Structure formats: C-alpha cells, structure tokens
Amino acid sequence: MAAVYSKMANQHKHPAGPWPIMVDEVLKVAKVGDKIVDVASGMGEPALTIAKALPDATVFSTDFSEDMVAKAGVAAADVPNMTASWMDVQDMKDFEDSSVDIVTCCYGYMFPEDKVKALQETRRILKDGGVLVATTWDNVDILKISRDIMTEVIGEAPPPPPLNPMSLSEPGLFESLIVEAGFDKSKIAQTTSSYPFDLGNERDFQFKFGTLLLRDKLDELDGWDVAEKAFWDNIDKYSEIDENGNRVMPSNTFRMTIVKK
C-alpha cells in the first residue's frame, strides 16, 4: 500500500498536473527573500519543489495531519530553507498579520469546516500585494469509481464523504467564498487543467489504486470481494489502456485560482 500511496501522490507531478503548474506561477511572482506558506502540504508538496527552486526564500510546509507533517519533515531534511509544521488553516496563529508574501494550497480548501474562515486567515497573513495560488478539484474519476463500488457494497448510493474533495467543484463557488473572505473579485484569476492518473499494468495494483480511498470502510464491512467485482465491472467507464499497456484515468480536472491581495 505504501507503493500505491506514493504512486497516487506522484500523479500530481504530471506536466499538466497541479504541482508544476503551481510552482510555475509562484516563480512568476516570487522575489528574493520571500516568505512562502504552503497550506495542506501533505507529505511536503509543492512546498519542497518551491523551496528547491527558490533557495533564497523561506518556505513553510504546513498540514493538519501530524503524520503528514512528519513525512514532510523527513523529505525536507536536506532542504535548509524549508520547515514542516502542524497548522490549522482556520487559525494560522503562528503567522503575524501581513507577514507572508505567497500562500500556496494544493487541494486543501475543500476540507476545512469553515472555508471562509480559512480564506480570511490566508488573507490576514498575506502582505498587501501578496499572492494566493490554490487548486481545487472540478472532476476526479477515482471518486466516481469509488461511488460505484460502495453502491454495490452497501446496496445503495453512499452519501458524500464528510471530507469531500468535490465540495468546491460547483462553478463560481470558490470564487464567491474568496470574495466573502475579503479579497477583491477583480484580482481573482482562474484556469483549468486536466491530467491523467496512471494505474499501471498490473491488475492487483490497479484494483488497490482504485480502492485506495475505501480501504478502511471495506475492511469494516468485509466488502472486498464485492468491491473487486464492482471495480472491474465499472472501471472501463473511467479509464483506457494506453500505448504502453497501462490503464489510465484521463479525465481529472482541477481549477487553479490566483488571487492578489
């Protein structure tokens, strides 16, 4: 499963994926000596790539999960300008008002209970002229196959998960929350990009990849046999076999939002 987790995370390194695109945007606006905070950094990206690209910047990798913070800390062991620390995006008390030049957040603002509060905190710590670079999901097919599987396992369509990756997928919603948090609507720019998830060419690995988000629930329900049949009954709707024989989910679309304070 460690290999599955690693492969899932590495999908975001795709040239059309969020990490390289976000880093490119940061490099466009960064100045020598900038202070950069990466929110919901997970195991340390895109903070790690940013820190390596901008050795004169001070980069903070932050996350609500202590386990993820520990992993980011290990990844940053030989990157002197990056620090990994625990932080609640709804209360970024470790950072003073108007003290940060750039905030980045890859797939993080979908999860706080109070999303406006999280964005208000982001605005509070940004300097005047500071920039927020954030990504949110518009479509991710692994969630659709997960829904198909759980429908078969429990006999009915499951409710949305409490921590819903698609909670900001409604057109205009994230922008409206940003404005509600106090940002100027005229300083918001958004683009979309799609990139593939490569599930490889081994059937067992493909199944583990496709059920990664369901592991605990399938263990609880002893639903693995039903889940495996449901996976293979439905996966062709969301994937294709590429020229190398790998199964690929091609239609994962995210929205990148850039906001200047």
Side-chain angles (χ1 to χ4, degrees):
M1 290 311 301
V4 179
Y5 277 108
S6 177
K7 190 171 181 67
M8 169 67 86
N10 283 333
Q11 307 299 314
H12 306 323
K13 293 180 179 179
H14 188 277
W19 292 351
I21 290 179
M22 291 176 73
V23 171
D24 284 347
E25 289 300 325
V26 169
L27 294 180
K28 289 177 185 178
V29 300
K31 307 177 300 298
V32 173
D34 271 358
K35 185 175 181 178
I36 301 171
V37 176
D38 188 32
V39 172
S41 198
M43 292 185 287
E45 288 289 1
L48 190 64
T49 302
I50 293 169
K52 290 178 178 179
L54 297 170
D56 293 322
T58 301
V59 180
F60 297 86
S61 167
T62 70
D63 201 274
F64 192 74
S65 165
E66 293 182 355
D67 183 51
M68 291 293 103
V69 172
K71 288 179 169 61
V74 171
D78 60 348
V79 184
N81 62 322
M82 175 174 150
T83 301
S85 60
W86 181 91
M87 190 180 72
D88 182 350
V89 69
Q90 299 166 113
D91 183 14
M92 295 193 279
K93 56 188 176 184
D94 290 347
F95 298 102
E96 296 179 357
D97 294 0
S98 303
S99 63
V100 174
D101 298 281
I102 300 170
V103 173
T104 56
C105 181
C106 183
Y107 302 146
Y109 286 113
M110 299 94 76
F111 302 119
E113 183 176 355
D114 190 336
K115 296 173 176 57
V116 172
K117 176 63 175 173
L119 289 163
Q120 287 173 334
E121 277 290 275
T122 298
R123 185 178 183 277
R124 177 186 66 78
I125 70 172
L126 276 172
K127 297 176 181 178
D128 288 343
V131 176
L132 166 65
V133 180
T135 55
T136 52
W137 280 117
D138 278 1
N139 177 73
V140 56
D141 282 341
I142 195 170
L143 296 177
K144 295 179 180 179
I145 188 69
S146 295
R147 182 177 177 83
D148 289 345
I149 290 169
M150 288 309 299
T151 297
E152 292 298 319
V153 170
I154 66 177
E156 60 183 4
L163 296 176
N164 185 2
M166 305 307 294
S167 65
L168 294 176
S169 61
E170 179 185 333
L173 176 57
F174 190 43
E175 183 180 21
S176 70
L177 295 178
I178 292 169
V179 172
E180 186 177 346
F183 287 96
D184 185 340
K185 185 175 182 178
S186 68
K187 296 181 178 180
I188 300 173
Q190 294 184 313
T191 58
T192 59
S193 181
S194 296
Y195 64 111
F197 280 5
D198 182 352
L199 279 64
N201 57 18
E202 297 179 4
R203 283 176 62 89
D204 183 60
F205 191 94
Q206 292 168 4
F207 174 60
K208 287 178 179 177
F209 190 109
T211 53
L212 181 62
L213 305 177
L214 306 175
R215 289 184 64 223
D216 292 344
K217 198 65 178 177
L218 292 175
D219 283 342
E220 176 188 334
L221 298 173
D222 192 22
W224 284 102
D225 289 343
V226 174
E228 185 165 11
K229 183 178 186 304
F231 176 82
W232 293 114
D233 284 348
N234 289 281
I235 188 60
D236 286 343
K237 293 188 294 186
Y238 310 113
S239 67
E240 57 193 34
I241 305 300
D242 69 9
E243 65 276 10
N244 298 315
N246 294 336
R247 183 174 293 277
V248 174
M249 289 179 147
S251 303
N252 306 287
T253 303
F254 68 92
R255 186 177 303 270
M256 183 169 66
T257 302
I258 302 170
V259 190
K260 187 174 183 180
K261 180 179 175 183

